Amino acid sequence: MDLITVLLAAVAILFLAAVFKNQNQGKYKHFPPGPKPLPIIGNVFSLDMSKPHKTFMELSTKYGPVFSIQIGMTKTVVLCGYEAVKDALINHADVFSDRPYVPVTAKFAKNNGIVFSNGENWKVMRRFTLSTLRDYGMGKKSMENKIIEEAECLVQKLKSYEGKPFDNLICINAAVANIIVCLLLSHRFDYEDPTILKLMAVINENVRLLGSPWVRLYNSFPLLMDWLPGPHRTIFKNVKEFKKFIKVTFTKQKTELDVNDQRNLIDAFLTKQQEGKPESTEYFHNKNLTMLVGNLFAGGIETTATTLRWGLLLMMKYPEIQQKVQNEIERVIGPAQPLMEHRKQMPYTDAVIHEIQRFGDVVPGNLPHATSEDVTLRGYFIPKGTIVIPLLHSLLREKTYFAKPDEFYPEHFLDSKGNFKKNEAFLPFSIGKRSCAGETLAKIELFLFFTTLLQNFTFHAPPGAKLDLEPALGFTNAPQIYKICAISRT
């Protein structure tokens, strides 16, 4: 009986696959080329599910800068290289600015917040977020001063290790977290505070799990895998815990709210909520607030902190580059406090920070996009609702724009006279309408934290340690866990 059931199920699956194929033959005429998919499972076995961007790079050499893959029964278009990504996200910005339905994120986001939402809700939340972040200091001197203060706290923390080996993950994450916490809550946490330690642990775990092969399979076969134990259950548990913290926080702020003295983004949101306008009910509700704060908190920590950790690892790996940065700091700043106004006078340091971002390649696959309507891109027809991956990794490793794409080479951003030069393919924050809302803040943080740390310390690997530049497994490209020795220069 069991064998008969299995055979019937197999026949049903093959029948459904044939129906699906026949129904979509016209829809996918002139669709981008790609490897031939297997029934039901698609190209799953052809992909490196841990690091799919590596497989995408290989496929682009065969099929070109615009190609397709199929994961499960879902067709996806991948864009490789600066020209293809720019064409989609800038020249066809409106069409390529949607987010697709991704089961694991859809289950907890439900079209709320700014990262995973679509339509008018996304437009309202993005507009509110950008204007409010500017109001509360993003890009202003007041925010620069807060980052300077936090950088000094981080310096004191590193000095407390007295040159002995330590893992910098927690203190770097906590320092960066305090900047976004300041914007959201008008608060900062001590680096050993149990609350911030718990929140960072939840975020770090989810970022790691979202890049796991299991979760990628969950997104392809959610109905099947929903019944199974696995990392997806841990992600949902972590999100629930994180939401609980946020709700408690803004409930407390609601009781203390003074609309005439708004202190931070949550106050601004709660004030909008009380205005009594139609959009107050439609968009400024608690579910949107919870998800928006979660998006900003996670996004504001992960990429910047990971980039800084890449920076310190690379300075240990290349001590001669570290020395050149320190020489420029001494020449331009001396013992004074690093300020953003110094950056224009420090082309080498600026080039090194850019190269850390390029080499670190923190978000190699970008967040997926989707087409809001039928579109023809570079001669190929892409139907409405198609998942599109603008592969940032392909830009940051493009040989046309970077002479030594697989090496750490700050000269990528320097001209023959040693002046800083921009590179149009350098797009770690993406481009278009879905580009990172916190790009301005991240650039300020990276410069001030990095220069302050190298002004105060020389970083060495512990005796006998091997420095591995192969990224750890996860949704982002983070360095593997490593120990560091911070030798005080003062």
Side-chain angles (χ1 to χ4, degrees):
M1 184 66 179
D2 288 344
L3 179 59
I4 294 174
T5 303
V6 170
L7 289 172
L8 287 173
V11 169
I13 289 171
L14 290 172
F15 173 75
L16 290 172
V19 170
F20 177 82
K21 182 178 180 180
N22 290 332
Q23 285 180 339
N24 289 286
Q25 276 182 342
K27 180 179 179 181
Y28 291 108
K29 194 174 182 181
H30 303 305
F31 196 66
K36 187 176 181 179
L38 294 170
I40 307 299
I41 62 173
N43 302 119
V44 166
F45 291 143
S46 305
L47 296 176
D48 179 346
M49 296 298 281
S50 298
K51 299 289 182 183
H53 61 275
K54 293 185 177 181
T55 308
F56 295 157
M57 291 292 281
E58 293 170 4
L59 291 173
S60 70
T61 63
K62 181 176 181 179
Y63 296 104
V66 182
F67 65 90
S68 65
I69 57 162
Q70 185 172 315
I71 304 176
M73 298 179 71
T74 303
K75 290 184 179 291
T76 297
V77 171
V78 181
L79 308 176
C80 281
Y82 172 70
E83 294 299 332
V85 171
K86 178 187 175 186
D87 196 3
L89 302 190
I90 297 296
N91 300 339
H92 299 82
D94 288 330
V95 180
F96 285 90
S97 64
D98 269 7
R99 288 281 187 237
Y101 174 81
V102 178
V104 72
T105 53
K107 194 152 187 171
F108 60 78
K110 298 177 181 175
N111 203 44
N112 293 311
I114 188 174
V115 175
F116 305 111
S117 60
N118 277 319
E120 195 61 26
N121 187 80
W122 166 67
K123 291 176 182 177
V124 171
M125 287 300 100
R126 185 173 174 88
R127 192 162 54 241
F128 167 79
T129 301
L130 290 172
S131 64
T132 307
L133 289 179
R134 282 194 295 268
D135 290 344
Y136 290 102
M138 190 169 75
K140 296 180 180 178
K141 191 68 178 177
S142 58
M143 180 51 60
E144 181 178 346
N145 291 336
K146 286 186 174 68
I147 298 170
I148 288 169
E149 291 172 10
E150 193 61 46
E152 182 54 36
C153 291
L154 182 58
V155 165
Q156 295 307 315
K157 178 64 177 177
L158 266 58
K159 282 185 176 180
S160 71
Y161 292 104
E162 299 179 338
K164 297 173 184 176
F166 67 96
D167 177 357
N168 64 20
L169 174 64
I170 291 176
C171 58
I172 294 287
N173 273 11
V176 172
N178 274 333
I179 304 304
I180 196 67
V181 168
C182 176
L183 284 166
L184 297 174
L185 309 175
S186 304
H187 182 67
R188 78 171 294 277
F189 290 100
D190 290 333
Y191 296 164
E192 292 81 18
D193 189 302
T195 300
I196 194 69
L197 292 176
K198 181 62 178 176
L199 292 178
M200 290 190 302
V202 164
I203 290 172
N204 288 337
E205 185 173 40
N206 270 11
V207 168
R208 179 176 58 81
L209 293 178
L210 282 168
S212 68
W214 183 274
V215 170
R216 296 186 198 277
L217 287 172
Y218 176 90
N219 286 329
S220 301
F221 309 101
L223 293 178
L224 171 64
M225 301 192 75
D226 239 344
W227 297 91
L228 301 174
H232 57 288
R233 294 188 182 276
T234 304
I235 290 172
F236 300 144
K237 177 180 70 68
N238 285 343
V239 169
K240 187 176 181 180
E241 191 168 336
F242 192 73
K243 283 183 176 181
K244 183 179 178 182
F245 163 78
I246 295 169
K247 286 177 182 176
V248 169
T249 302
F250 70 66
T251 299
K252 180 182 177 183
Q253 285 195 220
K254 199 166 188 175
T255 61
E256 302 170 352
L257 179 65
D258 180 353
V259 295
N260 298 313
D261 183 26
Q262 299 169 38
R263 302 159 295 176
N264 48 53
L265 182 139
I266 291 182
D267 278 2
F269 194 104
L270 293 173
T271 299
K272 284 275 189 183
Q273 203 174 67
Q274 295 184 9
E275 285 179 353
K277 298 177 181 178
E279 73 168 15
S280 300
T281 303
E282 192 168 357
Y283 303 113
F284 290 91
H285 47 75
N286 287 350
K287 289 181 180 178
N288 244 342
L289 176 55
T290 302
M291 190 53 56
L292 176 62
V293 172
N295 292 162
L296 294 174
F297 195 89
I301 296 173
E302 175 59 29
T303 53
T304 302
T306 299
T307 302
L308 284 171
R309 291 180 59 240
W310 271 119
L312 298 185
L313 177 61
L314 289 161
M315 291 306 96
M316 294 193 297
K317 184 77 172 179
Y318 302 103
E320 70 283 359
I321 294 177
Q322 180 173 197
Q323 184 62 61
K324 285 183 181 180
V325 172
Q326 290 172 330
N327 290 344
E328 189 172 66
I329 290 172
E330 289 172 4
R331 186 171 66 253
V332 176
I333 303 174
Q337 173 64 53
L339 304 171
M340 285 308 296
E341 64 192 49
H342 292 130
R343 185 169 63 174
K344 290 182 179 179
Q345 307 167 56
M346 303 173 68
Y348 189 77
T349 301
D350 204 5
V352 167
I353 293 172
H354 278 69
E355 183 66 356
I356 290 166
Q357 290 179 270
R358 187 201 70 82
F359 185 87
D361 188 20
V362 173
V363 190
N366 206 336
L367 287 170
H369 290 234
T371 48
S372 58
E373 58 186 68
D374 293 351
V375 63
T376 298
L377 181 76
R378 302 174 80 82
Y380 297 112
F381 176 73
I382 304 175
K384 176 182 178 179
T386 302
I387 297 175
V388 178
I389 299 175
L391 196 67
L392 295 184
H393 173 79
S394 68
L395 278 67
L396 301 178
R397 292 291 193 274
E398 194 161 1
K399 293 180 181 178
T400 308
Y401 294 92
F402 300 103
K404 300 180 180 181
D406 297 319
E407 297 180 26
F408 183 71
Y409 187 63
E411 286 74 12
H412 283 139
F413 297 94
L414 294 169
D415 65 18
S416 58
K417 295 181 180 179
N419 299 313
F420 180 82
K421 69 173 181 181
K422 293 183 178 180
N423 191 312
E424 59 185 350
F426 176 75
L427 296 172
F429 299 101
S430 194
I431 48 173
K433 297 193 171 185
R434 287 281 184 171
S435 62
C436 176
E439 178 176 351
T440 300
L441 178 62
K443 289 177 177 177
I444 298 171
E445 288 181 275
L446 289 173
F447 180 79
L448 293 176
F449 276 121
F450 186 73
T451 52
T452 301
L453 289 173
L454 265 69
Q455 180 188 54
N456 284 273
F457 303 99
T458 296
F459 295 97
H460 298 292
K466 291 184 178 180
L467 300 177
D468 190 347
L469 298 183
E470 183 65 26
L473 176 66
F475 177 76
T476 58
N477 267 347
Q480 296 186 38
I481 298 297
Y482 64 90
K483 292 287 182 73
I484 188 170
C485 297
I487 311 302
S488 180
R489 303 178 71 232
T490 56

